Amino acid sequence: MTGLLGGRTAIVTGASEGLGRAEALALAEAGANLVINARSARADDVAADIRRAGGSAVTCIGDVGDQATADRLVATAIAEFGGLDILVNNAGIIRDRMVFNMSAEEWDAVLRVNLRGTFLTTRAATDHWRRRAKQTGEPVYARIVNTSSEAYASGPPGAANYAASKAGVVALTMSTARGCASFGVRANAICPRARTAMTSDVFGAGPEAGEDPLSVEHVAPLVVYLASPAADAVNGRVLVAYGDRIDVMAAPTVEASLRSASRWSQDELHDVLGGYLVAPSPEPESAVTG
């Protein structure tokens, strides 16, 4: 296969179904060699689909929360295809429960896959790319696309573990983008609104007829773009994607700056800070759609 990503090699985690599968197929269609990761042998079916379509794909079964799996993913890309160019971190789980009922095990399980897993693969990939850059004396071609969620900003009440993990993914992405740009890495995060098995309770069933605006097929092209040479100037960004829309998220900004006459007293805090915080919030500006 030739195309936008011809000759490139990509790892996609959590790629046995849903969004990860759609991303892997789209990357392969664009010409990339694929290392397909999942915890089950269903990853083999995705790799077989890619090969039947004329692409190149192998599988690497394992839990991304394990360091050994992350290391094996990078080693597999190098052994099978001679290198690694693209890392798409899609693997994720949910264990929804109100925070006062959430067990430590439910917290740890979600953070382990969603955040620790993203960190482990990022560390393995960026270590490989840094070594290559030092050997060649020039920046490498390296793309990371991490999967966050709008939950990182909205804080849904029954998903403290999930929201915290996805906030961590955003912070990890921004830090990676800034810390690794000098040797060629471009790291960005997407927040997909996509109808999958994991989000069925959130979005419900799709339309009975016509195109589903929350289909994973609407998100996959953005991942291909971020993985491509055309996105070389895109780094450290967070993008919400669904249907025909992409929302570009801004970094946290100062909403207001409140000053004390001298040192804050309790009365002044109540009057100035409390008075500001309990006032009605301004209506957010409408997002521009295209």
Side-chain angles (χ1 to χ4, degrees):
M1 279 180 149
T2 60
L4 187 64
L5 298 175
R8 304 294 184 188
T9 296
I11 292 170
V12 182
T13 70
S16 62
E17 60 184 346
L19 182 60
R21 179 180 185 277
E23 292 168 340
L25 294 176
L27 290 164
E29 186 177 3
N33 307 310
L34 266 296
V35 178
I36 305 295
N37 162 259
R39 289 184 295 179
S40 76
R42 287 179 297 174
D44 294 331
D45 297 333
V46 180
D49 289 341
I50 291 172
R51 290 192 293 267
R52 276 193 294 270
S56 299
V58 297
T59 56
C60 184
I61 309 299
D63 181 353
V64 292
D66 290 334
Q67 178 69 64
T69 298
D71 293 340
R72 190 156 45 87
L73 280 166
V74 175
T76 299
I78 296 169
E80 296 290 338
F81 302 115
L84 173 65
D85 306 288
I86 301 157
L87 169 64
V88 179
N89 280 307
N90 174 74
I93 64 171
I94 55 174
R95 297 288 186 272
D96 286 356
R97 201 177 301 278
M98 297 298 290
V99 68
F100 45 80
N101 286 326
M102 185 176 293
S103 69
E105 291 74 20
E106 288 167 330
W107 173 272
D108 290 343
V110 171
L111 270 290
R112 182 179 185 279
V113 175
N114 299 5
L115 183 54
R116 173 183 164 88
T118 300
F119 158 69
L120 290 177
T121 56
T122 296
R123 181 173 69 174
T126 54
D127 179 62
H128 166 66
W129 288 324
R130 186 178 67 90
R131 291 174 186 272
R132 275 180 48 199
K134 290 180 69 174
Q135 290 171 356
T136 63
E138 58 186 23
V140 298
Y141 185 100
R143 302 285 189 268
I144 298 175
V145 182
N146 290 329
T147 306
S148 183
S149 165
E150 291 170 278
Y152 91 89
S154 64
N161 47 5
Y162 185 77
S165 72
K166 293 306 185 178
V169 168
V170 168
L172 171 62
T173 302
M174 295 175 66
S175 180
T176 301
R178 292 168 179 164
C180 302
S182 62
F183 55 91
V185 176
R186 303 292 181 263
N188 296 283
I190 62 169
C191 300
R193 289 188 203 172
R195 200 183 314 278
T196 66
M198 194 172 80
T199 61
S200 59
D201 290 342
V202 177
F203 297 125
E208 294 183 3
E211 189 172 20
D212 183 359
L214 297 182
S215 167
V216 294
E217 307 301 331
H218 290 296
V219 179
L222 173 60
V223 174
V224 173
Y225 169 72
L226 293 174
S228 75
D232 189 62
V234 183
N235 198 29
R237 305 309 294 264
V238 180
L239 306 168
V240 178
Y242 58 101
D244 62 355
R245 176 169 170 168
I246 294 174
D247 294 338
V248 181
M249 301 294 284
T253 59
V254 176
E255 179 181 317
S257 184
L258 310 176
R259 304 293 295 271
S260 167
S262 56
R263 180 182 298 176
W264 288 102
S265 68
Q266 292 301 308
D267 286 342
E268 193 176 17
L269 283 167
H270 176 73
D271 293 340
V272 178
L273 178 60
Y276 175 82
L277 294 179
V278 301
S281 298
E283 289 295 323
E285 294 183 9
S286 297
V288 176
T289 60

